[in-house]
Amino acid sequence: MVSNIAGGSNPQHGAEPGTQLGALEAYAAQAHGYLSVGGEQLGQLPGLLRPMVLESWLRSLRGGVDPMDDNDGRGLRGTDLVRYRDAHATAAIMPLVDKLLLRDATSTGLIVVISDQFGRVLSVHGNADRVHAAAEAGLREGNDLSERRVGTNAVGLVVRTGRAAWIHGPEHFLQRLHQITGAAAPVHDPDGRLVGVLMIAGGVRVARPEILALVKAAATAAEMDLLLAAVRSGDRRSGADAPMPERLGLEVLGLGQPQLTVAGERVPLSQRHAEILLLLAEHHEGLSADHLALLLDDADLDNATIRAAMSRLRSVVGPNVFGSRPYRLLIPIATDVEALRAALDSGDADTAVRLYSGPVLPRSTAPGVIDIRNELRVRLRTAVLRSGDAAILSRWTAGAEGRDDAAAWAAYRATVDRDSPLYSQIEAKMRVLDRRMGADATQMQRFDS
């Protein structure tokens, strides 16, 4: 878990993980030199640290955190920790986290950390040696990773700011955390409250944009799982005085009826309402009535039709979900499209295939929806073909999208030993596809003649 030093220039505000790491490490090392003599000059030297990190360091200083502290504290241990963890809201997302993150952690040498909303570590997963090394540094089950307790770190920043964050090596306030890089994202409950933090941690490999994108995708998928868990447990609130949730969930992938989850209640949506909500979720800046009409129908819908559709949608989702002029969402919506796209952005084809339950609103003919559907289908298929992974290709070719995908079957065959019975089965399938394509070509020639 030791990070490498590489060349670079002064790190900029908002720099992506993986960029200018050598410079980031060198400047952070200089900043630690100022800490050793009291840290009073840090505020006058903003170029040494990313602004977000500098602000956190200054808070850590004011809070009396000792950068040389090598005692990770007693923390919550034993049966107390087990009872707390089992009763915590994040217990409901563990199967999903296992599927999306944990299964690969052991083989990659990375660890996955799950904390509560206060920064207390609920569990640490991965290769046993890596988990032990992380525990020695202070990433131990039951420990408090809040900024107040251990200074600047990815989990503590998420708890403090509510936004995804990454912290690399010497950007950590504590010296004992300098061999760790962490990328973390928040997990919210159906009402928008922070309930936990997911973090991928390890060495310099974590300081890559795709790792941060992966943990954000997993957090988004976890929020969808919490919405569904609330429905299954009957945790619903109703009545005119019930507060509007701060986050909604929208499911539009696959052949099933589109669903909106509001405060734990799953609401079936009509095709048109699902189209509108998806388009608004995709256009955070908002859409004018004219623009929305063009995205919904090639035939020029008039503004009166759009206003009527929006009025009916308000009666379903509530009056405070979106504004007008332009039409825009006032409450964030976590969509399964967003989770899938985040997995693709991270380069994680395995997660993307697992999340893909079918095309986006497959019965929709709205031009804007068709564009989203085609974009995701092309990106997913490209990711699958490029993966060269037998398990991913097997899952893809077993589904409706890949069942007749000759290129995918050819790529799958290339991953299988020639002496395997599976190789013969794939060959047989490819011969069927070849014959079918030949017959289709013959029919086309007859039609053209």
Side-chain angles (χ1 to χ4, degrees), residues 178 214 359 398 409 417:
H178 284 193
L214 172 60
W409 282 104
D417 190 288

Side-chain angles (χ1 to χ4, degrees), residues 94-164:
M94 281 307 302
L96 180 84
V97 173
D98 176 67
K99 181 172 69 172
L100 299 185
L101 297 180
L102 304 187
R103 293 180 184 179
D104 296 326
T106 300
S107 60
T108 59
L110 303 178
I111 63 173
V112 176
V113 178
I114 302 170
S115 87
D116 68 6
Q117 67 272 36
F118 308 112
R120 185 182 298 280
V121 177
L122 298 177
S123 56
V124 182
H125 309 266
N127 176 278
D129 291 338
R130 299 294 186 182
V131 170
H132 177 73
E136 291 293 309
L139 293 183
R140 184 193 307 273
E141 292 183 351
N143 278 12
D144 183 356
L145 295 185
S146 66
E147 189 181 82
R148 171 188 56 79
R149 174 65 185 87
V150 299
T152 306
N153 69 93
V155 169
L157 270 175
V158 172
V159 171
R160 172 84 188 195
T161 67
R163 300 191 298 272

Side-chain angles (χ1 to χ4, degrees), residues 353-428:
V353 172
R354 292 175 188 273
L355 290 174
Y356 189 70
S357 55
V360 177
L361 294 174
R363 289 182 286 272
S364 173
T365 59
V369 173
I370 291 173
D371 287 343
I372 298 168
R373 182 193 304 150
N374 291 340
E375 174 231 341
L376 287 177
R377 179 189 287 125
V378 170
R379 287 191 62 193
L380 180 59
R381 181 175 182 270
T382 301
V384 168
L385 293 177
R386 286 178 176 173
S387 72
D389 185 284
I392 294 173
L393 288 160
S394 172
R395 194 173 296 113
W396 174 254
T397 52
E401 295 281 321
R403 191 173 296 132
D404 296 330
D405 188 340
W409 282 104
Y412 187 18
R413 181 181 59 182
T415 68
V416 177
D417 190 288
R418 281 181 169 270
D419 297 328
S420 167
L422 180 58
Y423 189 92
S424 301
Q425 295 173 21
I426 296 174
E427 282 271 85

Side-chain angles (χ1 to χ4, degrees), residues 161-201:
T161 67
R163 300 191 298 272
W166 66 282
I167 295 294
H168 174 58
E171 287 190 308
H172 287 92
F173 192 76
L174 291 190
Q175 292 277 354
R176 59 181 165 86
L177 295 177
H178 284 193
Q179 306 307 317
I180 293 172
T181 296
V187 177
H188 300 90
D189 70 7
D191 289 331
R193 293 184 295 263
L194 181 70
V195 293
V197 179
L198 296 182
M199 179 173 72
I200 295 176

